[in-house]
Amino acid sequence: MSKSLIVSGMRSTGKLHFGHYLGVLTNWINLQKDYDCYYFVADWHALTTKFDKTDELRADVENVVLDWVASGINPEKSTIYLQSLVPEIAQLHVYLSMVTPQNWVERDPTLKDMVKILRGDSETEEKPSNICSYGLIGYPVLMTADILTMNADYVPVGSDQLAHLEISRDIARRFNNIYGVELFKEPKPKLTEVPLFKGVDGQKMGKSFHNDIKISDTEEDTSKRIMSGITDRSRMRKTDIGHPDECEVIFDYYKVFAPEKIETVAQECKSATRGCADCKRELCGIVNEYFKEIREKRLELQSKPNLVREIILDGSDRARQRAKEVLKQVKDAVKMYY
Ligand code: TRP
Ligand code: SF4
């Protein structure tokens, strides 16, 4: 029996941080064992909000793929590709956009949030420069095209993407109904509910908040960030007893990176035998050790000229083979067969 097919993508945001690694990549890596995985960089989706900031686009794409491969996405097992190198996705997007009622996209709550951020109405996100484009309104339809071009069984996503995926299922069903075919599967979410990984300041980790630690950061930068992390705010000196439960970031990082140490840390913190600076310093070593191999592998991959590019081109070729077959069936269903 052939394996079920998985599609998932990330926008080309550039170098990835620990939140991406722990929240998304570890999951993607595990899925490679049991599924036929298609992972792509969504550079068209990046244009929905950054159409006028494309100078770094190419470097951003390559940095994302470098982080993936260094972290353990295996380009021989999984198909790693670039959205814009699979033009069938754009073609399918046209067909799907014709059968998608306007109000389906207009009531997508995730899209509404994105529009709010773009208009600058959001209090938490960085103020952007763009207004909402026609392309942005089509975001969930383009995402549906990504998924249906591969006719995927499952889509691993975080809960923020569920609303989009709901639309994808509706569009798949509607296409099948309208054209009287059983072409598209209704893609099922594979929810990955990982607790949010915070930045060193206790906020959500993100590039725009300047609180992130990147997979590709040096050990020195990593340590600097960790040393600036917030701890138990009520604790002024080492002789004050600490409250690990109120130590938002550092203790949480211990939970993730050194769960075997948390009992000791908590006990020493509460009895004032562990100072925050020492606690952080120890954590720096732990975290740097955790990412050591990945970082070494990343440097090695990066040092080989053209390697990332070849991975992207080769995977995109493979993705296209499947996409072409699906698109032929789509055109047949729509009776566009010249
Ligand atoms: N919208 C997704 C995100 O922001 C990225 C994405 C684009 C995606 N197309 C997709 C995810 C298709 C899964 C499947 O995270
Ligand atoms: Fe947090 Fe460690 Fe300081 Fe306790 S000793 S408050 S766990 S940084």
Side-chain angles (χ1 to χ4, degrees):
M1 234 183 74
S2 67
K3 291 180 180 172
S4 296
L5 195 140
I6 279 197
V7 167
S8 201
M10 268 187 214
R11 275 180 281 169
S12 43
T13 49
K15 294 175 178 170
L16 303 177
H17 55 63
F18 288 6
H20 294 118
Y21 178 79
L22 297 161
V24 186
L25 287 181
T26 49
N27 182 47
W28 283 16
I29 292 160
N30 285 331
L31 291 168
Q32 295 183 114
K33 287 200 276 300
D34 302 315
Y35 297 92
D36 193 7
C37 297
Y38 284 71
Y39 296 133
F40 71 98
V41 183
D43 54 347
W44 280 327
H45 275 107
L47 290 188
T48 61
T49 53
K50 297 221 162 151
F51 56 84
D52 56 351
K53 296 188 192 71
T54 52
D55 289 347
E56 305 295 322
L57 194 55
R58 183 182 170 141
D60 285 347
V61 167
E62 296 198 348
N63 275 317
V64 169
V65 174
L66 273 171
D67 282 331
W68 288 0
V69 178
S71 298
I73 307 285
N74 180 345
E76 276 155 32
K77 251 195 214 157
S78 300
T79 304
I80 295 177
Y81 61 104
L82 181 61
Q83 188 182 33
S84 65
L85 286 180
V86 183
E88 287 73 17
I89 296 170
Q91 284 189 56
L92 184 58
H93 177 256
V94 173
Y95 292 104
L96 299 181
S97 69
M98 302 303 166
V99 302
T100 305
Q102 188 176 335
N103 63 353
W104 286 11
V105 286
E106 280 173 352
R107 62 174 187 235
D108 176 346
T110 307
L111 186 64
K112 279 189 192 163
D113 285 347
M114 292 178 79
V115 173
K116 225 191 240 167
I117 292 167
L118 274 188
R119 296 213 172 109
D121 301 344
S122 165
E123 281 161 15
T124 51
E125 308 272 341
E126 187 183 37
K127 300 271 178 281
S129 59
N130 301 330
I131 46 105
C132 174
S133 69
Y134 168 65
L136 178 62
I137 296 296
Y139 192 106
V141 187
L142 182 56
M143 188 161 153
T144 305
D146 295 327
I147 299 163
L148 299 189
T149 308
M150 301 304 159
N151 213 352
D153 298 286
Y154 296 100
V155 184
V157 284
S159 55
D160 63 316
Q161 300 291 310
L162 283 181
H164 293 325
L165 204 59
E166 191 65 38
I167 297 180
S168 299
R169 296 163 64 80
D170 289 343
I171 295 176
R173 198 176 316 127
R174 189 168 158 88
F175 183 97
N176 288 346
N177 280 340
I178 288 176
Y179 297 108
V181 289
E182 280 179 41
L183 172 51
F184 291 125
K185 299 175 197 165
E186 289 176 31
K188 291 188 266 299
K190 238 186 196 315
L191 201 58
T192 50
E193 224 30 275
V194 273
L196 199 70
F197 191 75
K198 290 181 191 148
V200 286
D201 56 357
Q203 308 282 90
K204 170 181 165 188
M205 186 176 272
K207 184 155 113 179
S208 51
F209 304 123
H210 307 290
N211 64 355
D212 58 335
I213 310 178
K214 300 205 165 58
I215 295 173
S216 53
D217 277 347
T218 61
E219 298 199 344
E220 290 70 35
D221 288 342
T222 305
S223 299
K224 242 185 240 161
R225 273 277 205 259
I226 292 174
M227 293 309 288
S228 76
I230 57 164
T231 60
D232 175 356
R233 294 178 207 266
S234 68
R235 199 175 181 207
M236 305 304 285
R237 342 178 170 74
K238 183 176 166 179
T239 48
D240 298 340
I241 55 160
H243 308 84
D245 296 336
E246 278 157 50
C247 172
E248 274 188 64
V249 179
I250 302 302
F251 196 61
D252 282 357
Y253 281 20
Y254 268 96
K255 287 186 198 157
V256 172
F257 296 111
E260 73 285 357
K261 291 217 159 90
I262 54 175
E263 253 175 65
T264 317
V265 173
Q267 197 260 325
E268 290 176 358
C269 173
K270 282 191 244 176
S271 60
T273 51
R274 165 178 286 256
C276 291
D278 290 338
C279 189
K280 290 184 196 178
R281 216 166 285 126
E282 185 185 349
L283 182 66
C284 295
I286 292 168
V287 170
N288 282 328
E289 188 57 35
Y290 190 99
F291 283 99
K292 195 177 167 78
E293 252 178 68
I294 292 175
R295 285 169 164 169
E296 281 169 5
K297 181 155 180 210
R298 198 185 193 283
L299 287 175
E300 190 193 315
L301 292 166
Q302 218 180 340
S303 72
K304 295 185 182 147
N306 270 327
L307 181 65
V308 197
R309 196 166 167 264
E310 275 160 25
I311 290 172
I312 294 170
L313 292 178
D314 175 60
S316 300
D317 261 356
R318 276 161 31 208
R320 257 198 108 171
Q321 283 167 23
R322 184 170 173 92
K324 278 183 186 158
E325 283 169 27
V326 174
L327 208 78
K328 180 172 181 315
Q329 293 170 11
V330 170
K331 292 183 86 171
D332 283 352
V334 183
K335 302 192 179 57
M336 284 193 160
Y337 30 50
Y338 277 104

